[in-house]
Amino acid sequence: MNMPIPNRKSDSIGRTEGTLTAPSASTRKALLSSKLNPPTFRASQVPRRHLNEQVVDAPTGKLVLVRAPAGFGKTTTMAQIAAHLQENEVATAWLTLDEADNDVSRFLWCLQSAVSRLLQDDPPADTAEEQRNGTAGDVALDIVARLARERGAFTLFLDDFERIREQAVLGLVRQIIEHLPRRGQLVIGSRTLPDLTLGRLRAHGHLLEIDAAQLRFTPEETADFLLCKRGLALAQHELERIQDRTEGWVTALWLASLALEGHDAPSEFIERFSGADRAIAEYLAEEVLARQNAQTRDFLLQTSVLRHLNVPLCQALVPGVDCEAMLERLDAANVFLTPIEGEQRSYRYHSLFADFLRATLERERPGAARDLHRAASEWYETQDRPVPAIDHALEGGDHARAISLLNEHADSLLAKGRMRLLARWFDALPAQMLRDNPHLQVVHIWAVCFTRGPHETLALLDSTGLMETRDPAIRAHIQSIEPLVLAMMDRHDHAYIRGQTGLERLPTDSPFADMALINAMANVYSVLGRHDEAHALLDKGRDIEGGHSSEFNVMYSESVEGIIDLQEGRQRQAAARFRLAVNASRRGLSFSHSSGNAWAGVLHASTLYEADQLAEAARLLHVYVPLARDVGLADHMILGDTMLSRIAFHNGDVDGAFQILTGLEHIGRVRQLDRVVAGARLERSRLLLLQGHGRAALQELERAEDPDLWCWIARMRLTANDLEYLELARLRWEINAGDADRASADLAAAHDQARLATRHRRALKLALLRAMALYRAGAPAEAFEQFTGVLREACGEGFLRLIVDEGPLAGRLLRDFNADRKGRQSSSDDPILQEYRERLLEAFGHLPADTPETDDPRQGLIEPLTRKEIRVLQLLAEGYSNSAMAEKLFVSDSTVRTHLRNINAKLGARSRTQAVAIARRLGLIG
């Protein structure tokens, strides 16, 4: 808790506003005003000039972290820093966070508004139609890009960051920090240590930390505050005593100053002033509360249940009082009330003060809170705001009312994919109250399915007894949930058997359940390789719904179609479908925060990755992969973490790449998903192979062996295993570290088999690997002939990473192929294909030049390398960036650059990659 100051946010705005589909102008104005405006200084605040200058004098600090326990004046300090920066002509913007900002949609909308204010460019769209034009990923990419392009000095403030727990939001903030321009800065205020890769920022000198020790008032500041700002008459020994008691804790000083106003015996009060933070706050609140008249005291207690106060809402709870006058009086008296500017005046209580008031209310008037929550719930219901209405009903223990509201609104929230919100509400309801309400039991099961995964879903389904229901409406949902859950557990054969029975009963009286079943079974058909049946089933579903499909089901069906397109080699069409799938979830909600949208989002990110748009893909993956992990979507966890690992490796963060795979393997073991564990091991083997560690890569492949698992995978068309499976990984190893001739023959057979099965993307990968095998086996003419077909097909569909991810060997094949084509001077060479080859070569980056063999390899060494230089070479060969090497060697970036210059000079190399190639030929590194 910070010092009580005006213009702070209302903790309940996100929760009470519900969805942001089409908020009224007044609602938008109040929301943005409460969140985008920094606090206004009061005369009692003490300037922290040394902290202001510390921030201004930290030009390399991308992140300024103001971290301290509650009440140390973080917000006040940040607001003063903002004012100081503005005086120095630095553009600033402010965003105060609350619990509702754990919803990615809400966070992005508010952040977009803050960035627009910061950069003074186009504000966010105000109309519902305009809000539906993009995706969560689009908005995230736009925000990062707009900030990255800014050339002027700017600072963005994010306050109350400890409220953020959602990994997707944390991932977005990491991306913003990483891509800040030279003159851009982020200031974060938080009670806790945020998960923002602080170690790396600290090591690179990009982090400035302001902690509790720096925020504490010095004795001089305490004297200035109490004597000059608060106007108290205290002796020096009293000042020293209160400084000793509070240890410069800002809010304790503030609360003490309130209690000391007009106190007859300040020394006695100061002597009694002690205890833990909460005890101090409660004691001082009693001192303040006891000094209020009866009407004011009663108003404070009765409105303590509200997180957001305005005149009509307060009037509903305290009808006999002039609430407008009361709120104005409390604001003027500075009694722990923070005004929120807007068209309709609204306020919030200081959080600790509100806690104390609620405890006092319960102690003095047992049961009163229940009636007050009910009144608040009824008021929100009259305002057509079901989300806060249900919240208040639950907080007041009025479960019957909450259930009544849920009966009315649960279906629409389900269709919009509000799974997390629904799951939270159902967790707050006693299980016995749902036993006689199968409709809500079914909604609860759907919510659990898409927030906590299949195992908890089956347990809940079993506990409800709905498996035996004869109610046709409920049975329609059960017959949809069963195959979906089984498919999520990789039990597609069982899902097919269960789902077939349900399909025979369509249509039912439950359109959502019908389409969910059709989508689930279309996905099962796809995995079983029955693509024509999957297409026919999806067409049938569209006919049944007649164009009135829910946002959630549109997302699902388009994603299934896209997966089929992808496996059959139609990369461009798949990309269009995945984008449509992500867009579909915005029809009824600004940005869907359900795992279903994560399902489409990971797939959409995969097409961006394939097009070599690595930064954009990474930003989306940081949003969607954590959501996929929550549910345990095997394909999406494997795909997502594999892409994140490859991007990290590409960026030179080798340790980060392996850490991601270790986390993936751990999740697979915990969730008992053998395919996830095996997928992590396959990718780890691939990275080790790229580093030149052939033996370690082979050992990792041996760890991935599981005959039963891979036999089952071979029968399925699983998205994550279309291009990555044990047989292909072994052939890749043979090409790079084993018998390339033998691999070539095996690849030819595997390629023909993939073509017959219409697995054209897989066939393309196998054809590429065969060209690489022929090239390494010393048959360049055959390799180039094979590679020609690969390039034509890949160019037509825009495949890039499919080729580039095979590493330097594929790059050298491309380089020599281009040289061969140039030597032939063919007039028939397609200019589009030429441009594509240039893009590919650019994506590969620097490739090692061929070095001539000598009778004595050591003749290429001008001067012996030092031990440290050999270590730098080894790290360079393993893919580490300069900064990563500096971190591992505990030296500066400039020292690493010096080592590299010396290495090139001693080896006679012209580039990093050539230095590695020469070092390997000389036997200096493995």
Side-chain angles (χ1 to χ4, degrees), residues 442 444-464 481-482 484-485 488-489 631:
V442 161
H444 186 195
I445 292 168
W446 278 115
V448 169
C449 180
F450 284 101
T451 55
R452 296 200 287 271
H455 295 287
E456 288 196 39
T457 303
L458 288 177
L460 181 59
L461 187 58
D462 183 62
S463 69
T464 62
I481 292 170
E482 284 185 284
L484 175 61
V485 168
M488 291 169 71
M489 298 170 68
V631 186

Side-chain angles (χ1 to χ4, degrees), residues 698-852:
L698 183 59
Q699 290 173 342
E700 201 65 31
L701 287 181
E702 291 169 352
R703 293 183 66 218
E705 281 189 1
D706 183 337
D708 291 339
L709 173 66
W710 292 110
C711 181
W712 173 79
I713 290 175
R715 294 190 295 106
M716 302 293 168
R717 295 201 177 191
L718 299 159
T719 309
N721 299 112
D722 188 40
L723 298 183
E724 297 299 332
Y725 53 98
L726 185 60
E727 180 188 358
L728 184 144
R730 284 195 173 280
L731 291 170
R732 177 188 284 133
W733 186 90
E734 291 287 352
I735 294 168
N736 286 273
D739 187 341
D741 271 329
R742 185 174 63 185
S744 175
D746 292 342
L747 283 162
H751 170 269
D752 293 343
Q753 184 180 4
R755 286 292 185 202
L756 287 173
T758 68
R759 303 185 77 156
H760 298 303
R761 185 172 68 143
R762 174 180 287 191
L764 180 62
K765 171 68 85 170
L766 292 167
L768 167 67
L769 292 176
R770 184 164 186 266
M772 292 167 57
L774 291 167
Y775 176 74
R776 184 169 179 267
E782 293 178 66
F784 293 164
E785 182 180 357
Q786 177 82 36
F787 198 43
T788 299
V790 170
L791 291 175
R792 285 202 186 99
E793 186 174 349
C795 175
E797 288 296 335
F799 287 106
L800 287 173
R801 296 308 305 186
L802 181 142
I803 297 175
V804 175
D805 282 348
E806 293 305 322
L809 180 59
R812 291 195 297 272
L813 170 61
L814 174 65
R815 181 195 61 196
D816 291 353
F817 177 87
N818 286 346
D820 179 73
R821 299 293 293 184
K822 186 176 181 180
R824 293 172 183 269
Q825 294 291 329
S826 175
S827 59
S828 61
D829 210 359
D830 185 350
I832 296 177
L833 194 56
Q834 279 185 318
E835 182 183 355
Y836 171 71
R837 294 203 308 266
E838 290 172 4
R839 287 179 58 203
L840 265 180
L841 205 56
E842 182 181 351
F844 273 110
H846 293 291
L847 292 168
D850 293 328
T851 56

